[in-house]
């Protein structure tokens, strides 16, 4: 990378030592021209990280901006937002302020709810990396908190320096200070005469993390001065074990897949812990909020004991699990709309739907699809099933009930009433997964319109 600072020069002071360490982490993960967005709270950790990144951005040729999340919890939240705006103004970098109203929800701590909303904001940012100021002491605190919550291996694993999000469009999370102690960060702030805001909630031992930080960890430090590094090592061992379990889950998923679907009969061949590892891994891949250990055990027990014709349906959190014809389905939980849809189609190439959620793409293809000439004299509508529809996708077979055709096509029952159907007047023209009615199919060498349904 061009324009790198001389490393020996950076080692002349403790302040430059931290600058050099941060640069080494960045060099290992980012490239020239990347856009980094720092999550700026206004506290000492993020203020120090901002100073480090601003010092390195020109020499390492990356774009720097900031995001501040105003949770609306503290009476001082507006002051923190103003402080962050002023601070970014002095560095001449743009800042985005996200305003939230976090409320206490049953069964979810205020901290957890705020964190979930904060990361939701991060995932929506147009940037390459969201840079977080979590450090060595945060790692140790997180491990202990997870231990007291009874977390499994994945929950006890160390926070990674870089973490890719579930969505391909979401920025990666970058934590360049993970091996830096809180004392080094504080020393850097004082040496560089930085100003920061103090969150009054950090002094309240009503919060579990603060109780650990103020009451428990000082005692640990007396007996085990290097406990943060020791716990980091433990977390990394657990992270390696977690990676191996993920690899095992991928192997088991491959063995249980038939025609792209997880077969329950194949999952039954695994031991209970191995089947649970597969289910947990699959849920995380689908972006589900994991249920408790007891709930996960119960779900798996129901799944493994379900009969071959079972249509098991289990709801938890933002997810639902269903079984149909020995296949396992993991779906986002949705509240069905009671309003029937009736959308007019006027030849658009793309049609977005809210109920059901998804989109229909209409492409022109020769020798395939719907004949435009046969739909010229009646209004064309997108509707859901109302019952009693008849359909003839094959010209050499009689017209049959749509209900029977959907059953034969092995379309799961819960999807049958949410398929968008295309009608020309009173006649059913197209059914996703089934085809186009014989009366409306193109003739030889004719340009046709081919609809493609993309559910969300």
């Amino acid at each position: 990378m061009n324009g790198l600072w001389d490393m020996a020069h950076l080692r002349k002071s403790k302040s430059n030592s931290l600058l050099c360490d941060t640069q080494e982490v960045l060099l290992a993960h980012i490239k020239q021209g990347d856009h980094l967005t720092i999550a700026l709270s206004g506290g000492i950790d993020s203020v120090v990280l901002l100073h480090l990144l601003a010092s390195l951005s020109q020499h390492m040729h990356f774009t720097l901006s900031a995001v501040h999340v105003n949770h609306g919890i503290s009476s001082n939240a507006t002051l923190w937002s103003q402080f962050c705006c002023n601070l970014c103004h002095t560095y001449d970098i743009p800042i985005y302020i996200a305003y939230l109203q976090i409320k206490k929800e049953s069964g979810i701590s205020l901290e957890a709810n705020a964190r979930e909303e904060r990361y939701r904001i991060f995932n929506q940012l147009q940037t390459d990396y969201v840079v977080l100021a979590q450090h060595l002491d945060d790692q140790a605190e997180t491990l202990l908190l997870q231990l007291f919550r009874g977390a499994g291996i994945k929950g006890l694993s160390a926070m990674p320096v870089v973490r890719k999000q579930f969505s391909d469009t979401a920025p990666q999370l970058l934590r360049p200070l993970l091996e830096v102690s809180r004392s080094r960060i504080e020393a850097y702030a004082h040496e560089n005469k930085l100003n920061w805001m103090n969150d009054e909630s950090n002094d309240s031992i009503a919060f579990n993390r603060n109780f650990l930080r103020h009451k428990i960890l000082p005692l640990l430090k007396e007996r085990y001065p290097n406990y943060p590094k020791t716990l980091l090592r433990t977390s990394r061992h657990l992270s390696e074990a977690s990676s191996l379990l993920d690899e095992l889950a991928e192997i088991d998923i491959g063995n249980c897949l038939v025609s792209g679907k997880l077969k329950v009969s194949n999952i039954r061949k695994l031991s209970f812990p191995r089947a649970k590892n597969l289910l947990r891994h699959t849920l995380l891949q689908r972006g589900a909020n994991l249920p408790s250990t007891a709930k996960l055990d119960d779900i798996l027990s129901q799944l493994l004991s379900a009969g071959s014709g079972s249509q098991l349906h289990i709801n938890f959190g933002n997810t639902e699990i269903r079984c149909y014809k020995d296949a396992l389905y993991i779906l986002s939980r949705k509240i069905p709309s009671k309003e029937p849809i009736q959308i007019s189609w006027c030849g658009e190439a793309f049609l977005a739907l809210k109920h059901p959620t998804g989109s229909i793409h209409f492409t022109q293809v020769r020798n395939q699809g719907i004949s435009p000439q046969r739909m010229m004299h009646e209004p064309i509508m997108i509707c859901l099933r109302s019952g009693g529809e008849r359909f003839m996708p094959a010209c050499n077979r009689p017209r049959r009930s749509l209900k029977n055709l959907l059953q034969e096509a092995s379309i799961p029952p819960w999807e049958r009433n949410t398929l968008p159907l295309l009608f020309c007047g009173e006649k059913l023209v197209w059914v996703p997964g089934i085809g186009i009615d014989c009366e409306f199919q193109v003739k030889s060498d004719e340009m046709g319109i081919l609809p493609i349904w993309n559910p969300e």
Side-chain angles (χ1 to χ4, degrees):
M1 189 175 289
N2 297 328
L4 294 184
W5 289 4
D6 180 75
M7 304 298 278
H9 171 74
L10 287 178
R11 294 289 185 188
K12 289 182 179 178
S13 72
K14 290 181 179 179
S15 178
N16 281 345
S17 173
L18 183 53
L19 195 65
C20 184
D21 289 347
T22 305
Q23 179 176 265
E24 288 179 356
V25 175
L26 295 181
L27 282 171
H29 297 286
I30 73 167
K31 61 184 185 297
Q32 287 189 27
D34 277 348
H35 181 187
L36 276 60
T37 302
I38 177 175
L40 185 65
S41 67
I44 186 171
D45 301 334
S46 64
V47 166
V48 164
L49 181 57
L50 176 62
H51 189 271
L52 292 165
L53 294 177
S55 302
L56 293 169
S57 61
Q58 292 184 347
H59 300 274
M60 294 186 66
H61 305 289
F62 60 80
T63 302
L64 181 62
S65 63
V67 58
H68 172 79
V69 181
N70 184 322
H71 298 95
I73 297 174
S74 170
S75 58
N76 294 318
T78 302
L79 293 176
W80 299 340
S81 298
Q82 188 60 53
F83 171 81
C84 291
C85 286
N86 294 337
L87 186 61
C88 288
H89 179 72
T90 63
Y91 287 106
D92 194 27
I93 66 168
I95 182 171
Y96 165 61
I97 309 292
Y99 292 94
L100 303 174
Q101 286 296 328
I102 305 297
K103 297 180 180 178
K104 183 73 173 70
E105 295 183 16
S106 177
I108 304 176
S109 71
L110 196 62
E111 296 168 281
N113 197 8
R115 181 184 182 280
E116 185 172 329
E117 287 298 302
R118 188 163 60 248
Y119 278 81
R120 183 181 61 81
I121 295 295
F122 295 164
N123 289 347
Q124 296 172 352
L125 297 176
Q126 299 298 309
T127 186
D128 294 301
Y129 295 91
V130 174
V131 192
L132 306 174
Q134 289 154 329
H135 49 73
L136 185 62
D137 296 76
D138 289 327
Q139 285 269 36
E141 292 168 4
T142 299
L143 172 61
L144 290 173
L145 283 170
Q146 293 290 70
L147 274 173
F148 295 138
R149 290 169 184 154
I153 287 179
K154 189 171 291 291
L156 297 173
S157 300
M159 288 183 283
V161 175
V162 172
R163 191 181 84 191
K164 192 178 185 305
Q165 303 295 76
F166 291 112
S167 169
D168 291 334
T169 59
Q172 298 184 72
L173 302 179
L174 175 61
R175 301 178 176 95
L177 302 181
L178 272 184
E179 294 194 20
V180 178
S181 67
R182 181 180 284 116
S183 60
R184 282 188 71 195
I185 290 172
E186 292 171 349
Y188 182 97
H190 291 299
E191 183 176 342
N192 289 277
K193 298 180 173 58
L194 302 181
N195 296 315
W196 60 89
M197 300 290 286
N198 288 312
D199 184 347
E200 71 279 358
S201 68
N202 287 336
D203 297 324
S204 171
I205 60 173
F207 295 104
N208 292 333
R209 185 177 290 271
N210 291 341
F211 179 78
L212 277 178
R213 184 178 299 172
H214 298 302
K215 296 293 185 180
I216 305 300
L217 296 181
L219 293 176
L220 277 180
K221 196 173 185 67
E222 289 180 13
R223 185 75 178 212
Y224 307 103
N226 292 321
Y227 79 85
K229 291 184 178 179
T230 303
L231 292 181
L232 174 61
R233 189 164 63 248
T234 299
S235 279
R236 285 180 172 164
H237 292 327
L238 292 166
S239 184
E240 288 180 5
S242 178
S243 296
L244 290 174
L245 287 175
D246 287 343
E247 288 183 22
L248 179 62
E250 288 293 341
I251 293 170
D252 288 338
I253 287 171
N255 292 332
C256 293
L257 277 177
V258 177
S259 300
K261 293 183 173 64
L262 279 171
K263 291 297 182 180
V264 178
S265 56
N266 289 355
I267 297 175
R268 286 197 186 100
K269 297 175 184 177
L270 303 174
S271 67
F272 192 88
R274 196 158 166 172
K276 186 162 70 170
N277 181 57
L278 181 153
L279 180 58
R280 184 190 297 112
H281 182 77
T282 306
L283 287 170
L284 286 171
Q285 280 188 321
R286 305 292 173 86
N289 295 328
L290 282 183
S292 66
T293 300
K295 180 66 174 177
L296 189 63
D297 285 345
D298 178 58
I299 291 170
L300 185 58
S301 295
Q302 290 188 57
L303 186 65
L304 298 180
S305 62
S308 58
S310 169
Q311 293 187 19
L312 183 70
H313 182 198
I314 302 172
N315 289 317
F316 63 93
N318 61 346
T319 305
E320 58 181 353
I321 288 180
R322 291 180 180 266
C323 288
Y324 178 65
K325 291 192 173 180
D326 195 39
L328 172 65
Y329 294 82
I330 297 174
L331 310 165
S332 295
R333 191 175 179 185
K334 297 174 183 176
I335 300 173
S337 173
K338 295 181 180 179
E339 299 180 7
I341 67 162
Q342 193 169 15
I343 300 172
S344 175
W345 180 62
C346 301
E348 301 93 333
F350 174 85
L351 203 60
L353 305 181
K354 291 184 178 180
H355 304 293
T357 309
S359 60
I360 305 174
H361 291 257
F362 298 88
T363 57
Q364 290 190 339
V365 185
R366 188 170 297 278
N367 295 323
Q368 289 187 61
I370 304 167
S371 171
Q373 285 74 23
R374 304 191 183 198
M375 296 195 300
M376 294 177 62
H377 305 295
E378 295 282 352
I380 304 169
M381 306 296 295
I382 304 292
C383 307
L384 298 180
R385 279 180 68 197
S386 58
E389 297 88 356
R390 299 187 68 79
F391 197 56
M392 190 168 68
C395 296
N396 59 350
R397 299 188 65 183
R399 188 170 297 277
R400 303 174 60 203
S401 74
L402 179 58
K403 177 181 178 180
N404 289 340
L405 289 168
L406 291 171
Q407 288 174 344
E408 287 182 6
S410 294
I411 294 176
W414 60 89
E415 290 183 6
R416 296 172 194 167
N417 292 327
T418 62
L419 288 174
L421 310 180
L422 190 145
F423 287 83
C424 180
E426 298 295 323
K427 295 181 178 180
L428 179 56
V429 176
W430 167 73
V431 180
I434 303 296
I436 297 163
D437 190 88
C438 175
E439 182 182 342
F440 291 88
Q441 293 174 12
V442 292
K443 295 179 180 179
S444 177
D445 204 38
E446 183 184 1
M447 289 295 294
I449 300 169
L450 187 63
I452 299 174
W453 166 235
N454 297 302
E456 185 177 275

